[in-house]
Every structure is written in structure tokens, then in C-alpha cells.
């Protein structure tokens, strides 16, 4: 006779980081604890830090009620710059990971703590029976995590359909990396893989890449999908702080009107620093530049001004001969 009681089956340790999460904590607790069922056991390893609300108190109450919860408080502020923040994020992630591994878990579920999850998410991911697997993730009608999800060709997913040439709408597809909510077999962590602190090739992307070098394979299971809340995402967007013109000194006056109009007329916001100037979000900026300098070669790019303030600088680079590069 097969034992189908909740204390059988693989143990999945859920690892999450929290900061100012009071608004979403009750939902997260309800939806993540609902994942346990016959064949899936759960443990939780949480790290909280730098909250200015009562997130830690809420997590402490949860831990007091539930012996499966391990909670650590560790703050990282002040942060010197974005690179420093990413290194510290990796350290926090490894802190949560070590707590998850200490439970003896068969799987680690890395899960951002503000996501909308189906109640049977973990069971479906475990059933995929692959080394690394993530559900598809959407924000409204667009694919959300274009930074973490990358094809075997290394190309990042885009927000607009078809997202990537490897994307399938209902299937299991191998990728080079995934993000946001990811189920790992513990073997790759036992082999020494950990979060790294560089931005473009670190964090979850780095975990997937390093696992791949050891022979582990990463997949997206688009038969399962999750959502990122739009209100929380809106708060995380980068806002324009200043406009910079990169041009030869002799051209300064010719570009002055461009800079003035960009600063006064452009109000778009970014969810990422990875957009190229071909992205539709830049269309209003291109219209202003071409209005002032028709036919003149230029390039638009962005540079992080302040991660703490979530601001960026919009840079227009003059590409004419003799321009500063």
C-alpha cells in the first residue's frame, strides 16, 4: 500500500528574501503554505533586512507558529553603488540558501516574495523532474523577467510576444538561465554552485550558468505560469533624473535645445536598465532628437544615476565624425 500522507515525498525548502513586505506577507504565507500536499513536504528559509515597516515582526510571528520556518535578519544598507548592492544581494541569497540546505531538502525553491502563485505550483515543477525549472512569468500581457530568462543562444527574452525564438506556449523548453521563481535539485548546490555577485552574469543567471558547466540543465515549463503584481512593479521602475549630451564642445549649443526638450517632455519610466535605443519606449525621445537634428547620427542610451532613488540619466551620444566616444 502506498503511503500518501503529507509526511512522505520530497522535501522542498522555499528560500525567499523580504524587505518592506507587510502588504504582501499574508498572501505569500497563504499561497506558499498551500503548496504542501501528499507527495510534497515543505520547509522555509527566510532572510529579512532593511525593512522600515513591520515585516520582521510579521515573519517572526509566522516562525513562532510554524516550526518549518527558519528566519534570519540581516541588513545590507548602506549600499555604495549598484555593484555593491548586487554583491550584497548574492550574500543574502546564499544566506537563505544555506538555511534551506540545512533542512536536508531534496529541492530548493527560490521564490521572490511578492509573486502571485498557483496553489499547485511546486507539485507541478517537481513533476517536471529536471535539474532546474522555472514557470513562465508575466506582468499583465508581457513577459516579465527578460533579464533572467535567456535562450541557449544567450539572448534575453523580451517583454513582447513571441518573447524569444525558443519560447513555446505550453511545454518544457531548455534555456541557459531562468529567474524569479526557480526549483533546483539540491545536487547542484552540493556540487558547490552558489549565488555570485556580478550583475549580468551573476545571481540566478550565474547559478544556472555555473550549474550548466557542471552538466546540469535548465528549463522553463510554460505549462505553469505565475504573475508579478503590477502595482509593486510600478514602484520599482526607474525614473528620469537628468539628460546628458555626449558631443564635441563645438556642438554644445546645437544640442542644448534637444536636452531642454528631453528634460521637459519625456516622462517614460523603465523596469530595467537593459533597454536598447530601438525599444518602443524611446520613441518620444527619438522624435525630439530628430526634430532638432534631422538626419544627424546619434545614439540614445541610459545610465544608472541612483539605485537607491531608482533614477537614471538619459544620454544622447553624437555619432558624427569627431564626437567624443
Amino acid at each position: 500500500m502506498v503511503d500518501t500522507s503529507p509526511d512522505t515525498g520530497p522535501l522542498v525548502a522555499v528560500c525567499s528574501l523580504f524587505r518592506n513586505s507587510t502588504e504582501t506577507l499574508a498572501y505569500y504565507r497563504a499561497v506558499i503554505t498551500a503548496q504542501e500536499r501528499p507527495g510534497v513536504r515543505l520547509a522555509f528559509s527566510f532572510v529579512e533586512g532593511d525593512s522600515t515597516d513591520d515585516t520582521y515582526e510579521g515573519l517572526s510571528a509566522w516562525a513562532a507558529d510554524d516550526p518549518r520556518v527558519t528566519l534570519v535578519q540581516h541588513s545590507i544598507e548602506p549600499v555604495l553603488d549598484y555593484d555593491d548592492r548586487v554583491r550584497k544581494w548574492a550574500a543574502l541569497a546564499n544566506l537563505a540558501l544555506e538555511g534551506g540546505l540545512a533542512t536536508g531538502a531534496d529541492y530548493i525553491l527560490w521564490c521572490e516574495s511578492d509573486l502571485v502563485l498557483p496553489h499547485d505550483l511546486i507539485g507541478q515543477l517537481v513533476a517536471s523532474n529536471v535539474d532546474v525549472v522555472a514557470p513562465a512569468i508575466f506582468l499583465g500581457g508581457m513577459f516579465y523577467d527578460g533579464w533572467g530568462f535567456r535562450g541557449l543562444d544567450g539572448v534575453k527574452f523580451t517583454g513582447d510576444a513571441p518573447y524569444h525564438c525558443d519560447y513555446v506556449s505550453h511545454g518544457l523548453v531548455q534555456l541557459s538561465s531562468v529567474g524569479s521563481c526557480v526549483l533546483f535539485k539540491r545536487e547542484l548546490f552540493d556540487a558547490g554552485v552558489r549565488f555570485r555577485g556580478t550583475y549580468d552574469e551573476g545571481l540566478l543567471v550565474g547559478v544556472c550558468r555555473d550549474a550548466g558547466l557542471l552538466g546540469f540543465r535548465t528549463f522553463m515549463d510554460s505549462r505553469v505560469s505565475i504573475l508579478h503584481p503590477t502595482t509593486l512593479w510600478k514602484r520599482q521602475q526607474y525614473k528620469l533624473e537628468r539628460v546628458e549630451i555626449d558631443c564635441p564642445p563645438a556642438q554644445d549649443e546645437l544640442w542644448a535645445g534637444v536636452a531642454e526638450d528631453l528634460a521637459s517632455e519625456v516622462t517614460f519610466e523603465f523596469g530595467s536598465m537593459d533597454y536598447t535605443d530601438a525599444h518602443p519606449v524611446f520613441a518620444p525621445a527619438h522624435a525630439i532628437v530628430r526634430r532638432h537634428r534631422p538626419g544627424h547620427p546619434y545614439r540614445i542610451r541610459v545610465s544608472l544615476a541612483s539605485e537607491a532613488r531608482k533614477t537614471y540619466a538619459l544620454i544622447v551620444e553624437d555619432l558624427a565624425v569627431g564626437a567624443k566616444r
Side-chain angles (χ1 to χ4, degrees):
M1 181 177 178
V2 177
D3 184 359
T4 58
S5 62
D7 60 352
T8 63
L11 177 63
V12 179
V14 180
C15 298
S16 297
L17 306 181
F18 295 84
R19 179 178 182 269
N20 290 339
S21 303
T22 296
E23 291 182 14
T24 57
L25 185 56
Y27 170 79
Y28 181 78
R29 178 176 178 178
V31 75
I32 203 68
T33 55
Q35 304 290 326
E36 186 159 279
R37 61 198 64 246
V40 176
R41 297 176 295 135
L42 298 180
F44 305 98
S45 177
F46 298 150
V47 176
E48 182 279 336
D50 295 298
S51 293
T52 56
D53 60 13
D54 59 355
T55 297
Y56 183 71
E57 289 74 16
L59 288 167
S60 296
W62 181 357
D65 292 340
D66 190 340
R68 299 173 298 176
V69 175
T70 299
L71 174 63
V72 174
Q73 187 175 43
H74 186 84
S75 295
I76 62 172
E77 298 290 348
V79 171
L80 301 177
D81 53 28
Y82 192 71
D83 288 341
D84 184 46
R85 182 176 293 277
V86 173
R87 287 191 294 269
K88 289 177 176 177
W89 276 343
L92 292 176
N94 286 326
L95 187 58
L97 173 61
E98 295 303 336
L101 294 172
T103 67
D106 304 289
Y107 293 88
I108 296 292
L109 179 76
W110 181 264
C111 188
E112 295 180 4
S113 56
D114 59 353
L115 302 177
V116 179
L117 313 174
H119 70 279
D120 56 351
L121 168 73
I122 293 179
Q124 293 189 71
L125 294 181
V126 169
S128 297
N129 193 30
V130 293
D131 302 320
V132 181
V133 63
I137 177 169
F138 296 94
L139 173 77
M142 75 178 202
F143 197 92
Y144 173 67
D145 195 349
W147 179 83
F149 284 75
R150 307 182 188 189
L152 293 177
D153 56 5
V155 174
K156 300 174 185 178
F157 275 44
T158 64
D160 301 321
Y163 315 124
H164 190 278
C165 61
D166 289 341
Y167 181 81
V168 294
S169 60
H170 191 73
L172 192 66
V173 58
Q174 187 176 357
L175 301 175
S176 65
S177 68
V178 290
S180 296
C181 179
V182 189
L183 185 76
F184 300 95
K185 287 186 175 179
R186 77 166 290 141
E187 286 83 357
L188 66 94
F189 296 116
D190 288 340
V193 175
R194 291 295 185 272
F195 288 86
R196 294 190 278 110
T198 58
Y199 173 66
D200 199 54
E201 299 298 332
L203 303 176
L204 285 169
V205 170
V207 169
C208 295
R209 294 283 179 85
D210 293 345
L213 294 175
L214 296 174
F216 298 97
R217 298 196 298 166
T218 294
F219 293 83
M220 174 187 66
D221 190 344
S222 61
R223 297 169 298 186
V224 193
S225 62
I226 60 177
L227 300 175
H228 192 290
T230 52
T231 52
L232 294 177
W233 177 76
K234 185 70 174 175
R235 296 176 200 167
Q236 297 167 9
Q237 288 187 294
Y238 296 89
K239 298 174 177 60
L240 178 63
E241 180 172 275
R242 64 182 185 272
V243 174
E244 298 179 3
I245 304 294
D246 185 359
C247 68
Q251 297 283 317
D252 282 346
E253 290 188 12
L254 296 174
W255 284 102
V258 177
E260 182 178 348
D261 285 356
L262 285 171
S264 63
E265 297 179 25
V266 173
T267 59
F268 46 69
E269 299 175 344
F270 297 131
S272 157
M273 290 288 101
D274 295 331
Y275 294 152
T276 67
D277 69 352
H279 194 282
V281 75
F282 284 116
H286 284 300
I288 291 170
V289 176
R290 290 165 183 160
R291 184 173 73 214
H292 285 267
R293 306 298 308 272
H296 196 89
Y298 70 93
R299 181 178 67 171
I300 289 177
R301 55 190 173 89
V302 296
S303 176
L304 184 67
S306 171
E307 174 62 23
R309 296 191 303 273
K310 303 296 288 186
T311 58
Y312 67 90
L314 180 69
I315 301 170
V316 181
E317 184 179 2
D318 188 329
L319 296 181
V321 176
K324 182 179 68 175
R325 298 300 173 95

